[in-house]
Amino acid sequence: MNFAINHIRSQFPILHQQVNGKPLIYFDNAATSQKPLAVINAIKEYYEQYNSNIHRGAHHLAQLATEKYEEARKIVASHINADEREINFVRGTTEAVNLVATAYGRKFIKTGDEIIVSEMEHHSNIVPWQMLCEEKDAVLRVIPITDSGELIYEEYLKLLTEKTKIVSVAHTSNALGTIHPIKEMIAAAHKVGAVVFIDGAQALPHTKVDVKDLDCDFLGFSGHKVFAGTGIGVLYGKEKLLEAMNPYMGGGEMIKTVSFKGTTYNDLPYKFEAGTPHIEGGISLGAAINYINEVGLDSITAYEHKLLEYGTQQLSTIEGLQIIGTAKNKSSVISFLVNNIHPYDIGVLLNEQGIAIRTGHHCCQPLMDRFGIEGTCRASFAFYNTKEEIDGFVTALRRVVAVLS
Ligand code: 7TS
């Protein structure tokens, strides 16, 4: 693999530590990713050199902070091939979905309308739509999945009718790693006049996402999964849709004029950014995106695919281990169960050996119900992980299974 892995790892200080006397192996990247020096230094510089509130000060620090924050918006826009006005900074994917469900849904969804999600969604891409359906007396339809963890495409096509107003699906599943055929799904939804929200939380850290090529109407993602800080994320929306929507929250920044006779709203994107934003979060996101582009997203995708293949192969040598989610097109996530061992017990014993994985339902209870299980163990890789770490993990897991069997 032609990938400067040692140099890359040197950029992530947190990776070089011992946990319970063993070198840390961090395989919980789908939950949150670690941060490179480029991001840590951008946050440090912000607080050491130009901390200030933005958009409102005539003074030097305020101007500098505003410049850097708006520069980050440009970086995000160009990264996903959008216009700056279409980039709304939010807290994360969860807020992006809630914003659309509220600001678009409240205005445009009527009694009897239908919203489609899949059986594989994260709770944050289910519950806001359920809340909207309850409020509007609309109907939530669910795309079923196969035993290997792929959406049943024909069933999706059957669900699409003139009643369908919104389709909201993940680009990539956090629990199984399945990459969905979203470009085709978006085109099919557009044929019946529906708008499409893409949950990009698990896609942006691993692959290039081009909103124009996909032609999605909305895209949400979280900064913390894409190597930036927590509490920052992005809602992309097509300009004409964002223009048509009412504001989500009221307050400072999102207004042009306020009077008791009536208030007028600010232009995009500020219309959706009430209050003092997460300034260093935005700046950290700009730094993170610059960093992954320096490494090269195509190389990242290719390298991680090798890790996925190697990890899948190595884990399959453990007797009694069953991989949940065996779709053809997957990102670097491996969910598994071993015999009847509770995933949590595996997680605890792996932690004793310095290995971080996730156990549980991964905020996908309907998906777990579909498989008739309570949860899984999930190892999720980032581009700073290595084959050697996978070897260490598989050896440790073998030991854990022997103890718990
Ligand atoms: N959508 C997907 C596909 C996700 O994986 C997550 C977080 C979210 C939405 C919500 O993102 P947030 O940043 O707003 O919380 N997923 C996970 C996970 O798999 N383990 O911890 C968080």
Side-chain angles (χ1 to χ4, degrees):
M1 285 183 218
N2 186 19
F3 198 62
I5 188 68
N6 290 337
H7 178 68
I8 286 166
R9 287 182 68 81
S10 75
Q11 299 301 299
F12 290 84
I14 204 169
L15 298 177
H16 309 283
Q17 63 174 294
Q18 306 253 315
V19 169
N20 295 322
K22 300 275 167 50
L24 167 67
I25 296 179
Y26 186 78
F27 283 174
D28 193 18
N29 294 285
T32 200
S33 60
Q34 299 304 346
K35 318 304 168 200
L37 284 170
V39 167
I40 296 168
N41 290 338
I43 297 171
K44 194 163 168 274
E45 257 173 45
Y46 168 72
Y47 281 116
E48 285 183 353
Q49 297 175 21
Y50 61 96
N51 168 51
S52 187
N53 211 331
I54 57 169
H55 295 147
R56 45 189 94 173
H59 62 81
H60 175 70
L61 296 188
Q63 282 167 10
L64 203 53
T66 304
E67 241 168 62
K68 296 272 190 186
Y69 189 71
E70 290 306 327
E71 190 182 302
R73 195 190 306 276
K74 284 195 188 113
I75 295 168
V76 172
S78 121
H79 186 63
I80 62 169
N81 195 17
D83 188 275
E84 282 160 60
R85 280 175 311 224
E86 299 172 317
I87 302 299
N88 307 278
F89 282 130
V90 292
R91 280 196 301 139
T93 313
T94 302
E95 190 174 71
V97 185
N98 278 278
L99 196 163
V100 175
T102 307
Y104 184 88
R106 283 218 182 122
K107 188 159 174 189
F108 294 108
I109 296 302
K110 311 231 163 11
T111 304
D113 284 349
E114 296 187 357
I115 296 169
I116 298 179
V117 297
S118 88
E119 207 171 12
M120 214 184 302
E121 300 307 315
H122 188 278
H123 294 164
S124 65
N125 195 23
I126 297 174
V127 183
W129 304 117
Q130 284 179 323
M131 289 160 68
L132 175 65
C133 287
E134 213 167 284
E135 191 179 315
K136 293 290 186 170
D137 217 359
V139 182
L140 193 67
R141 300 272 182 217
V142 183
I143 312 165
I145 64 168
T146 65
D147 289 343
S148 61
E150 286 167 317
L151 300 184
I152 305 176
Y153 199 76
E154 310 81 68
E155 294 298 323
Y156 168 59
L157 293 181
K158 278 190 218 156
L159 290 177
L160 286 172
T161 68
E162 75 284 356
K163 286 188 187 162
T164 312
K165 298 297 176 237
I166 301 175
V167 173
S168 190
V169 285
H171 177 300
T172 300
S173 155
N174 64 314
L176 306 185
T178 310
I179 300 172
H180 303 305
I182 52 165
K183 194 169 168 179
E184 291 77 4
M185 293 177 77
I186 293 165
H190 285 168
K191 277 195 188 144
V192 298
V195 298
V196 183
F197 180 99
I198 297 296
D199 170 352
Q202 298 293 342
L204 272 286
H206 306 291
T207 191
K208 189 89 189 137
V209 173
D210 178 328
V211 292
K212 292 223 167 63
D213 176 54
L214 289 175
D215 197 24
C216 57
D217 300 285
F218 300 101
L219 168 82
F221 65 94
S222 300
H224 70 95
K225 294 191 201 284
V226 73
F227 316 103
T230 53
I232 187 76
V234 170
L235 168 68
Y236 155 82
K238 281 182 180 163
E239 191 175 342
K240 69 172 187 336
L241 294 176
L242 294 172
E243 290 284 9
M245 285 154 61
N246 289 330
Y248 176 51
M249 288 195 285
E253 277 294 303
M254 53 73 71
I255 52 88
K256 253 189 192 142
T257 61
V258 179
S259 86
F260 288 112
K261 287 203 194 83
T263 286
T264 57
Y265 303 131
N266 208 340
D267 296 328
L268 294 175
Y270 311 111
K271 179 171 134 186
F272 293 106
E273 295 184 1
T276 300
H278 187 10
I279 303 169
E280 83 275 18
I283 290 166
S284 80
L285 182 55
I289 288 177
N290 277 345
Y291 177 72
I292 52 175
N293 282 326
E294 263 166 47
V295 175
L297 256 178
D298 288 346
S299 318
I300 289 175
T301 310
Y303 177 79
E304 289 179 348
H305 191 70
K306 295 231 164 85
L307 290 182
L308 172 71
E309 279 183 337
Y310 185 70
T312 304
Q313 193 184 57
Q314 292 305 306
L315 281 176
S316 305
T317 64
I318 295 179
E319 216 185 298
L321 186 142
Q322 183 197 0
I323 292 179
I324 313 290
T326 51
K328 273 184 228 86
N329 201 6
K330 270 184 73 169
S331 82
S332 50
V333 169
I334 307 177
S335 251
F336 62 91
L337 290 169
V338 191
N339 299 322
N340 291 324
I341 306 172
H342 198 286
Y344 183 74
D345 294 338
I346 293 179
V348 168
L349 292 193
L350 283 175
N351 177 55
E352 283 179 9
Q353 302 185 55
I355 299 167
I357 62 156
R358 191 79 155 190
T359 66
H361 54 60
H362 316 296
C363 293
C364 294
Q365 282 182 354
L367 175 68
M368 298 300 137
D369 290 346
R370 158 68 179 78
F371 282 101
I373 56 181
E374 270 178 43
T376 70
C377 300
R378 181 186 71 181
S380 52
F381 312 130
F383 65 95
Y384 41 67
N385 291 129
T386 65
K387 280 171 95 170
E388 290 71 30
E389 287 182 312
I390 292 175
D391 290 338
F393 162 60
V394 172
T395 304
L397 181 59
R398 232 181 259 289
R399 245 179 273 144
V400 165
V401 170
V403 170
L404 294 173
S405 290

